[in-house]
Amino acid sequence: MSEERLMSKKKPAYPVSSKLESYLRHYNRTIEIPIFYEDLLRFSGSIVVYDSNDEDSLWVRVYYSEFERAEIDQSLKKVYSILLSDGGDQIFQYLNVDAVDYCTFGNSKPFRIKVRNILNDNFTYFYVKKTDASRIYGLELEHMLSPYNLNFLVYKNTLIEEHIAGIPGDVFIKEMLPNCTEPDKAQLSKEFVKFNERCMIRLLGDMRSYNYVIVPTHDFDHVVYKIRPIDFDQQCFEGKLKVYRPQFFKENYQMVELVRSKLQKKSVDQYKLEERSIVAKRIKSSGNRIKRLMRACVEDDISTPENIELLKSQIYDLTLDVNFKKCSKMGEVLHLALEFVLNNYEDVSMKQIMENKINI
């Protein structure tokens, strides 16, 4: 199925509600910053950025007038300090803003900022984007329900995100996957099954290969691969359940074929169960934080009535939970989906306790 039929052509940016803003303040996600997304749009010109294969990277490197460049550089150093340090200006003398890149591809149209330490040439990226409530929910859910912590800041209409390091999925599939060993391919298959399940559970959509990264970690005598999303623009917006399952995007065809060739159905079912159990444990351990987030989300407008009606009916067909039919907001659908996973995990755990005759 083509993405044009699978997904809406354009997703709007949703404003931050008062409840979500209160949540962000409570967990120190919001702080005054000296520059806004619109400020970076005042560039004088741009040049195309090519990748290592001399192909268009879909990013352009922007430049500013001499007067504006000095002010923008200083403000971006301040943002770096707030995001990654103590917010002070003592480190400014050691920092240089090497590049400001702009991406016109996709919904978010982000700016990518490259900041280099002039003492040792180490560099770090961060992103400046337009604030979007559904993206913030996606970032927070990734922070709580995945193995990774995310660092981001929100101030009015501007969102600052720390860079997520890894090999872009499309690059990995094209250039590195053919050279992987058979054990590597088996492990990648397992991780893709788990990633696919995790996206569906928390309704994170549009995980085409260029919207996630592969993270290799060397462990003794082998390499461990993990898959991480890097774009949270499509958090619980679309109405088709297939959008929330990476396996249905043509860009992931080779990963799906890898799963088919390397894993038996029993193994796939086992890894799905493992991932559901892990997510359920993270929901429980998140305590009041995820409850606060869901209280804001269930009242928020982050999708269209048509998408809500379609998704809740498709999830009902999958779960047969009549509560989904009563939802009027996308946040309610998301909340019930997480509750469904948690309740099923607790039911299985209680059954195991009773079967083993363990007293609690």
Side-chain angles (χ1 to χ4, degrees), residues 321-337:
D321 186 339
V322 72
N323 289 312
F324 283 103
K325 288 189 171 183
K326 303 173 185 176
C327 296
S328 60
K329 301 272 190 178
M330 190 59 91
E332 293 177 295
V333 178
L334 173 62
H335 183 232
L336 275 176

Side-chain angles (χ1 to χ4, degrees), residues 209-261:
S209 55
Y210 49 77
N211 286 333
Y212 61 81
V213 293
I214 311 288
V215 185
T217 304
H218 292 268
D219 182 31
F220 293 106
D221 58 349
H222 68 291
V223 178
V224 177
Y225 295 94
K226 298 294 181 182
I227 304 177
R228 296 187 62 180
I230 58 173
D231 190 338
F232 303 92
D233 181 63
Q234 290 287 342
Q235 174 63 50
C236 57
F237 170 76
E238 292 287 347
K240 295 174 182 173
L241 187 58
K242 284 184 176 181
V243 172
Y244 305 105
R245 303 177 73 181
Q247 70 186 79
F248 288 106
F249 288 100
K250 66 180 182 181
E251 289 86 352
N252 296 326
Y253 175 78
Q254 287 174 267
M255 296 297 285
V256 174
E257 287 300 300
L258 206 60
V259 172
R260 285 183 180 146
S261 66

Side-chain angles (χ1 to χ4, degrees), residues 3-4 6-11 234 237-239 307:
E3 279 71 33
E4 194 167 333
L6 195 59
M7 294 180 59
S8 304
K9 292 194 175 185
K10 182 70 174 176
K11 171 191 167 290
Q234 290 287 342
F237 170 76
E238 292 287 347
N307 285 349

Side-chain angles (χ1 to χ4, degrees), residues 152-312:
F152 68 92
L153 294 170
V154 181
Y155 183 59
K156 295 185 179 179
N157 64 343
T158 299
L159 172 66
I160 310 294
E161 287 182 32
E162 188 176 15
H163 176 67
I164 297 173
I167 304 165
D170 54 339
V171 174
F172 185 92
I173 290 169
K174 180 182 178 182
E175 299 181 4
M176 305 182 75
L177 183 59
N179 298 320
C180 285
T181 65
E182 294 309 306
D184 284 346
K185 290 178 179 178
Q187 207 233 352
L188 281 162
S189 301
K190 168 187 171 182
E191 288 305 316
F192 188 78
V193 169
K194 292 193 162 198
F195 177 65
N196 191 75
E197 191 71 10
R198 189 160 67 245
C199 290
M200 186 182 69
I201 289 170
R202 42 81 57 95
L203 300 182
L204 177 62
D206 193 18
M207 282 298 108
R208 285 174 277 190
S209 55
Y210 49 77
N211 286 333
Y212 61 81
V213 293
I214 311 288
V215 185
T217 304
H218 292 268
D219 182 31
F220 293 106
D221 58 349
H222 68 291
V223 178
V224 177
Y225 295 94
K226 298 294 181 182
I227 304 177
R228 296 187 62 180
I230 58 173
D231 190 338
F232 303 92
D233 181 63
Q234 290 287 342
Q235 174 63 50
C236 57
F237 170 76
E238 292 287 347
K240 295 174 182 173
L241 187 58
K242 284 184 176 181
V243 172
Y244 305 105
R245 303 177 73 181
Q247 70 186 79
F248 288 106
F249 288 100
K250 66 180 182 181
E251 289 86 352
N252 296 326
Y253 175 78
Q254 287 174 267
M255 296 297 285
V256 174
E257 287 300 300
L258 206 60
V259 172
R260 285 183 180 146
S261 66
K262 291 296 178 184
L263 301 180
Q264 297 180 5
K265 186 179 185 302
K266 287 184 179 179
S267 294
V268 171
D269 292 341
Q270 174 200 336
Y271 295 141
K272 286 182 177 180
L273 179 60
E274 285 180 9
E275 194 60 30
R276 286 196 294 271
S277 299
I278 290 170
V279 170
K281 290 174 184 176
R282 290 189 182 122
I283 294 171
K284 287 177 71 70
S285 65
S286 296
N288 286 331
R289 181 162 188 158
I290 198 165
K291 290 177 183 176
R292 281 175 178 263
L293 185 69
M294 287 299 103
R295 279 200 290 269
C297 192
V298 295
E299 297 182 11
D300 220 340
D301 291 314
I302 51 174
S303 189
T304 65
E306 297 79 17
N307 285 349
I308 296 166
E309 286 299 315
L310 179 58
L311 185 60
K312 73 181 188 181

Side-chain angles (χ1 to χ4, degrees), residues 53-204:
N53 296 318
D54 288 330
E55 296 179 358
D56 188 347
S57 67
L58 302 178
W59 290 83
V60 295
R61 185 148 298 165
V62 301
Y63 53 88
Y64 300 86
S65 67
E66 187 176 346
F67 171 75
E68 288 199 322
R69 181 71 201 212
E71 181 184 350
I72 286 173
D73 276 12
Q74 193 75 357
S75 296
L76 290 174
K77 290 177 184 179
K78 181 67 174 178
V79 170
Y80 173 94
S81 180
I82 293 171
L83 184 68
L84 298 168
S85 188
D86 63 354
D89 57 6
Q90 303 94 323
I91 62 172
F92 287 8
Q93 59 185 314
Y94 309 121
L95 302 178
N96 188 70
V97 179
D98 275 10
V100 178
D101 296 335
Y102 179 56
C103 183
T104 58
F105 178 71
N107 273 336
S108 58
K109 292 185 170 61
F111 285 93
R112 181 178 63 196
I113 317 300
K114 180 180 179 181
V115 179
R116 178 172 54 89
N117 185 309
I118 61 176
L119 297 179
N120 50 38
D121 279 342
N122 283 328
F123 59 87
T124 304
Y125 292 104
F126 67 85
Y127 297 86
V128 181
K129 302 180 180 180
K130 290 180 287 188
T131 299
D132 176 16
S134 59
R135 185 179 295 116
I136 292 170
Y137 288 120
L139 287 163
E140 275 295 324
L141 287 171
E142 180 71 8
H143 180 77
M144 285 185 267
L145 302 184
S146 82
Y148 313 102
N149 292 330
L150 293 188
N151 190 12
F152 68 92
L153 294 170
V154 181
Y155 183 59
K156 295 185 179 179
N157 64 343
T158 299
L159 172 66
I160 310 294
E161 287 182 32
E162 188 176 15
H163 176 67
I164 297 173
I167 304 165
D170 54 339
V171 174
F172 185 92
I173 290 169
K174 180 182 178 182
E175 299 181 4
M176 305 182 75
L177 183 59
N179 298 320
C180 285
T181 65
E182 294 309 306
D184 284 346
K185 290 178 179 178
Q187 207 233 352
L188 281 162
S189 301
K190 168 187 171 182
E191 288 305 316
F192 188 78
V193 169
K194 292 193 162 198
F195 177 65
N196 191 75
E197 191 71 10
R198 189 160 67 245
C199 290
M200 186 182 69
I201 289 170
R202 42 81 57 95
L203 300 182
L204 177 62

